[in-house]
């Protein structure tokens, strides 16, 4: 009888210990690997994620997308920190909604107004299609803004293991960041110009 009681008590204590340890790890992860303002994995977590691919070849159709909100200091000065935070949170919300349908995806903060996205089993063509959808969402959001609210604008670069013949995770990241640096700024206005040009062409055809 006593042996049974000891076993049951030990099992209960062990279970409690596991729960407490898990909770401690959750708290540790939150404080060390999360950006508390925007509730996304921070740069340390990005490094940890990439570390999972260190020393081995990337699979085909592994994509890295680097996104940067340009001139953040200037925007903070013009619109204020709170308005810029709202803009960044909207950009995050758009990215999360667009990429949530991809089973294996990672979205993390890589600096002030900068983000990294990793997608498995997603080709370059598919990634560019997703970014076009992001731009459509940005266009719709920016249309609703009133004076004093900060519009979403961003640059981005897409690198994909097969298309760019890069099978090292850090080389893929560097390629995406390089493309992002050279990218024009997107805010949805280019889509509006394309629509106007299309309407003009339709009129000319008629």
């Amino acid at each position: 009888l006593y042996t049974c009681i000891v076993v049951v008590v030990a099992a209960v204590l062990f279970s409690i210990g596991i729960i407490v340890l898990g909770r401690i790890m959750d708290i540790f992860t939150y404080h060390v690997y999360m950006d508390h303002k925007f509730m996304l994995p921070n740069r340390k977590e990005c490094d940890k994620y990439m570390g999972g691919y260190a020393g081995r070849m990337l699979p085909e159709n592994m994509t890295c997308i680097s996104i940067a909100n340009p001139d953040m200091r200037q925007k903070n000065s013009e619109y204020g920190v709170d308005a810029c935070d709202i803009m960044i949170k909207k950009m995050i919300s758009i990215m999360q909604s667009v990429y949530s349908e991809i089973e294996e995806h990672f979205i993390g903060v890589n600096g002030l107004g900068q983000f990294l996205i990793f997608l498995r089993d997603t080709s370059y063509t598919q990634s560019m299609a997703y970014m076009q959808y992001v731009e459509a969402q940005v266009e719709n959001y920016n249309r609703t803004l009133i004076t004093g609210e900060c519009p979403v604008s961003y640059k981005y670069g897409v690198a994909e293991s097969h298309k760019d013949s890069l099978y090292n995770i850090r080389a893929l990241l560097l390629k995406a960041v390089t493309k992002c640096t050279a990218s024009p700024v997107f805010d949805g206005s280019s889509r509006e110009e394309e629509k106007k040009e299309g309407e003009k062409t339709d009129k000319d055809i008629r």
Side-chain angles (χ1 to χ4, degrees), residues 16 28 32 39 66 77 90 95-96 118 127 153 156 159 182 189 200:
I16 293 173
F28 175 80
V32 176
M39 298 307 296
S66 173
S77 177
K90 183 59 184 181
M95 291 188 298
Q96 289 176 327
F118 288 98
S127 299
S153 61
Y156 73 92
S189 59
K200 180 182 177 183

Side-chain angles (χ1 to χ4, degrees), residues 49 96 99-100 102-107 117-120:
Y49 177 86
Q96 289 176 327
Y99 294 109
S100 62
I102 300 177
E103 184 175 351
E104 292 192 44
H105 72 278
F106 174 92
I107 303 175
I117 302 173
F118 288 98
L119 309 170
R120 281 189 60 120

Side-chain angles (χ1 to χ4, degrees), residues 62-154:
M62 178 77 174
T63 296
C64 176
I65 303 174
S66 173
I67 297 178
N69 296 109
D71 305 318
M72 281 303 303
R73 287 180 175 82
Q74 179 181 332
K75 288 177 180 176
N76 281 333
S77 177
E78 181 178 354
Y79 296 100
V81 174
D82 290 342
C84 288
D85 285 349
I86 291 172
M87 178 272 292
I88 291 175
K89 287 176 181 177
K90 183 59 184 181
M91 184 69 187
I92 291 171
S93 174
I94 290 171
M95 291 188 298
Q96 289 176 327
S97 68
V98 169
Y99 294 109
S100 62
E101 66 181 57
I102 300 177
E103 184 175 351
E104 292 192 44
H105 72 278
F106 174 92
I107 303 175
V109 176
N110 192 40
L112 180 61
Q114 300 178 46
F115 305 96
L116 286 180
I117 302 173
F118 288 98
L119 309 170
R120 281 189 60 120
D121 300 322
T122 308
S123 69
Y124 178 85
T125 302
Q126 289 173 314
S127 299
M128 292 300 293
Y130 281 119
M131 289 308 301
Q132 288 175 3
Y133 186 58
V134 167
E135 188 177 4
Q137 296 300 306
V138 167
E139 177 192 9
N140 292 336
Y141 173 73
N142 284 347
R143 280 179 177 175
T144 68
L145 298 180
I146 60 176
T147 302
E149 294 181 323
C150 184
V152 175
S153 61
Y154 61 95

